[in-house]
Amino acid sequence: DNTLTITPIDPALLAATHTAAQQSVWIQIKALRDLKEASGIPTMVDGALKWWNSDLASLIKFEGLKNKADHILAMGGTLTDLVPVYGQPQPWKTLDGTYVVLTVQIVCDIIIAIENRMAQLFMTAEYHHSQMVLIPNPSDYNFTTLWPTVYSG
């Protein structure tokens, strides 16, 4: 079971007891989370694992593609319809350097994967935070485990 349990921390208690060491480790945990947010989004395309860019600019582009996909569906299109880029079907480059022509289904899969990945990263960071504040020496806490896999090239 990959479910992480987060122990809620009372904000008033946290503010009163957060030591400089805890604050330092918490900053490191958030930095690792932020790095992993920009380290790729995996989806399956025709049975093959494809990794998509997940930096902020790419996330904004995917949101625009989602809007196009939603419009296609609203106009009676299907999940297999192509999503045009600059007015025509355009291959989209993945992190491994291969290209994929985007369909409504692929765009929807990417958006769902982004939402799931961001939630996983948030939960993992919060889990590590909730565990780190419980130990006497926060700098000894290993927060590098349990994170989702990132693209490794």
Side-chain angles (χ1 to χ4, degrees), residues 68-81 104 108:
K68 286 182 182 183
D70 288 345
H71 182 74
I72 291 168
L73 292 174
M75 299 301 292
T78 68
L79 293 174
T80 58
D81 285 352
V104 171
C108 290

Side-chain angles (χ1 to χ4, degrees), residues 2-9 14 18 22-37 116-134 141-148:
N2 291 334
T3 304
L4 299 176
T5 303
I6 296 174
T7 305
I9 302 169
L14 182 63
H18 232 222
Q22 288 171 330
Q23 289 174 359
S24 175
V25 173
W26 179 224
I27 288 168
Q28 293 172 54
I29 291 169
K30 292 188 292 185
L32 182 57
R33 177 204 59 207
D34 294 348
L35 176 67
K36 290 181 178 293
E37 282 180 352
N116 289 339
R117 177 53 57 101
M118 297 306 165
Q120 289 172 322
L121 293 170
F122 172 81
M123 294 295 289
T124 304
E126 289 296 321
Y127 170 80
H128 284 303
H129 184 227
S130 71
Q131 298 305 300
M132 175 270 297
V133 297
L134 298 176
Y141 181 75
N142 180 8
F143 58 85
T144 62
T145 64
L146 304 175
W147 296 93

